Amino acid sequence: MAVALRGLSTVVPPTVLIQEEVRDVFGTQPGLNRLAQRIVSTSFNVSGIETRHTVLEELSRDAHPDEPVFFDIDSGELLFPGTKARNELYAEFATKLYVEAGRAAIAATPGIEASDVTHIITVSCTGFYAPGPDFVIARELELDAGVERYHLGFMGCYASVPALRIAKQLCEADAAAVVLVVSVELCTLHLRSSNDPDTIVASSLFADGAGAGIVTARPLEDGERAFDLDRFATRITPVGEGDMAWKIGDHGFEMVLSNAIPAIIDGHITGALEPLFDHDPALAEALATDASSDAIEHWAIHPGGRSILDKVESRLVLTEAQLVPARETLRDYGNMSSATVLFVLRNILDSDAAADGDRVAAMAFGPGLTVESALLTVRA
């Protein structure tokens, strides 16, 4: 039974951050030592990012709020709101994006109505509230009162992949199931000025965005473009537990993002892909002989950062063209944590290069260090 990801939709908030302008703000904050100033300059300049989006309107060049919470544009100083204030903004703005993205996914799936949705899976690691986003989606989209709801919280950048895996399993257990998967991340709520290198790197990368899709075994409509969800795999690398982490502090969530991460991925990415490919002798042989780029047409790699993409491209001997969807997503949107891989998949699906029957390998990385992967097939 083929289970497909349909109606793949992405949403971003309207406020755009220009990377060079954000760099200049972070680089001129009071209390920043010389080493931190150099790290700010380097991190922002080599990030591969040109623009990002944020729900924080006061970060706009045109904003002049009477009582700034995050940024006093008149003094140019970044402020330090507490975790409660940040999370309250998450509840306000994330709710809107959850509903908007969920509605867009249903509208983009021919033959599927809101009343058809049997399950909701929501994903986020940048805020909490209850009743949660799964509840709000069910209410605002007027889903069936008995819709089953699940939330994957605080897993990090890889969480949309296990969400799709769970959705596939639900559909395999019930052929009539229609699962709405929605990921919303508001990473900019946790940005702050600091002399800590991990915090500086995080401030140069993270952004806000939402992705959603419908997972179902129902047949596709004529002319519809979608992905068959073929296979999933998960692996924890033997090193790296302390190199990527996400903790709750007094002034927002705090990211640990070691500069050793690209090297860890470089050393273990092939092993992480082995369980995804081992069911197919041709794919396993391609991985073993550095021919993955020939066996798999498209690669949806989570762009955790430019250096990560460079390592993946080099280690798997991929072509520059195969990393274009990931690099374009990073360039235009930054790292939106768990939602990002959905943007990369959307880029591939919208591309003229994606033809019916093409294979897609998706990978995302997160705390652990965890590598989540999926094998998909384009249906067009």
Side-chain angles (χ1 to χ4, degrees):
M1 177 176 61
V3 177
L5 170 61
R6 304 168 58 187
L8 187 55
S9 301
T10 57
V11 178
V12 290
T15 299
V16 179
L17 300 177
I18 307 299
Q19 187 74 339
E20 293 179 351
E21 296 177 356
V22 180
R23 176 202 62 201
D24 293 344
V25 169
F26 272 85
T28 56
Q29 292 305 299
L32 216 60
N33 61 41
R34 289 187 177 182
L35 175 59
Q37 290 174 346
R38 290 198 296 270
I39 295 173
V40 167
S41 179
T42 301
S43 297
F44 279 81
N45 289 344
V46 305
S47 66
I49 298 170
E50 295 181 4
T51 56
R52 293 182 275 172
H53 291 255
T54 178
V55 296
L56 298 172
E57 295 180 6
E58 66 182 82
L59 295 182
S60 166
R61 290 169 293 179
D62 302 323
H64 292 272
D66 294 333
E67 297 183 8
V69 177
F70 278 83
F71 180 54
D72 184 346
I73 194 169
D74 294 324
S75 68
E77 187 171 350
L78 290 164
L79 308 178
F80 286 86
T83 300
K84 179 181 178 181
R86 296 173 193 260
N87 197 65
E88 286 176 346
L89 289 173
Y90 174 88
E92 176 185 354
F93 290 108
T95 295
K96 298 175 183 177
L97 286 177
Y98 273 112
V99 173
E100 184 179 354
R103 181 176 285 118
I106 294 172
T109 310
I112 297 293
E113 305 292 338
S115 57
D116 296 317
V117 175
T118 58
H119 303 74
I120 302 170
I121 301 174
T122 52
V123 182
S124 189
C125 69
T126 48
F128 302 94
Y129 62 96
D134 50 305
F135 171 86
V136 175
I137 290 172
R139 183 191 66 199
E140 294 300 313
L141 300 187
E142 299 181 341
L143 305 185
D144 185 270
V147 65
E148 296 184 23
R149 313 189 323 263
Y150 306 93
H151 181 70
L152 299 186
F154 221 64
M155 294 179 73
C157 295
Y158 64 78
S160 284
V161 179
L164 294 176
R165 180 174 61 235
I166 293 169
K168 174 180 166 67
Q169 292 168 344
L170 291 169
C171 294
E172 289 173 336
D174 178 3
V178 175
V179 186
L180 174 60
V181 177
V182 187
S183 166
V184 173
E185 301 288 13
L186 305 187
C187 305
T188 65
L189 293 180
H190 304 289
L191 301 185
R192 68 182 68 76
S193 176
S194 173
N195 285 311
D196 177 68
D198 287 352
T199 302
I200 294 172
V201 172
S203 297
S204 73
L205 291 174
F206 285 100
D208 302 346
I214 294 289
V215 177
T216 182
R218 296 189 182 186
L220 273 61
E221 301 284 332
D222 290 343
E224 186 178 358
R225 293 177 67 86
F227 291 111
D228 281 348
L229 299 176
D230 300 325
R231 187 176 174 87
F232 292 85
T234 183
R235 278 294 180 271
I236 299 174
T237 63
V239 295
E241 181 177 351
D243 290 286
M244 186 184 294
W246 194 220
K247 303 175 182 179
I248 299 176
D250 292 335
H251 295 281
F253 299 171
E254 299 171 354
M255 169 61 75
V256 176
L257 203 62
S258 163
N259 59 13
I261 291 172
I264 294 171
I265 291 174
D266 181 51
H268 297 281
I269 189 171
T270 301
L273 278 174
E274 286 175 353
L276 186 69
F277 290 177
D278 63 6
H279 71 294
D280 185 321
L283 290 180
E285 175 66 18
L287 182 64
T289 59
D290 293 332
S292 298
S293 63
D294 296 325
I296 302 291
E297 287 87 358
H298 308 283
W299 291 78
I301 306 299
H302 167 68
R306 181 177 178 177
S307 59
I308 290 176
L309 293 180
D310 291 343
K311 289 294 186 183
V312 171
E313 181 178 338
S314 174
R315 173 59 64 184
L316 297 179
V317 197
L318 304 182
T319 67
E320 290 185 10
Q322 288 173 316
L323 265 293
V324 164
R327 293 193 190 278
E328 287 185 345
T329 299
L330 183 66
R331 180 195 67 199
D332 296 340
Y333 301 105
N335 182 343
M336 299 164 287
S337 191
S338 68
T340 319
V341 72
L342 300 178
F343 279 70
V344 181
L345 286 169
R346 174 71 184 271
N347 183 299
I348 292 171
L349 197 63
D350 290 346
S351 169
D352 292 337
D356 183 60
D358 281 359
R359 308 294 295 275
V360 181
M363 297 188 74
F365 319 99
L369 191 105
T370 303
V371 182
E372 291 282 352
S373 58
L375 197 59
L376 306 88
T377 304
V378 176
R379 292 300 174 211

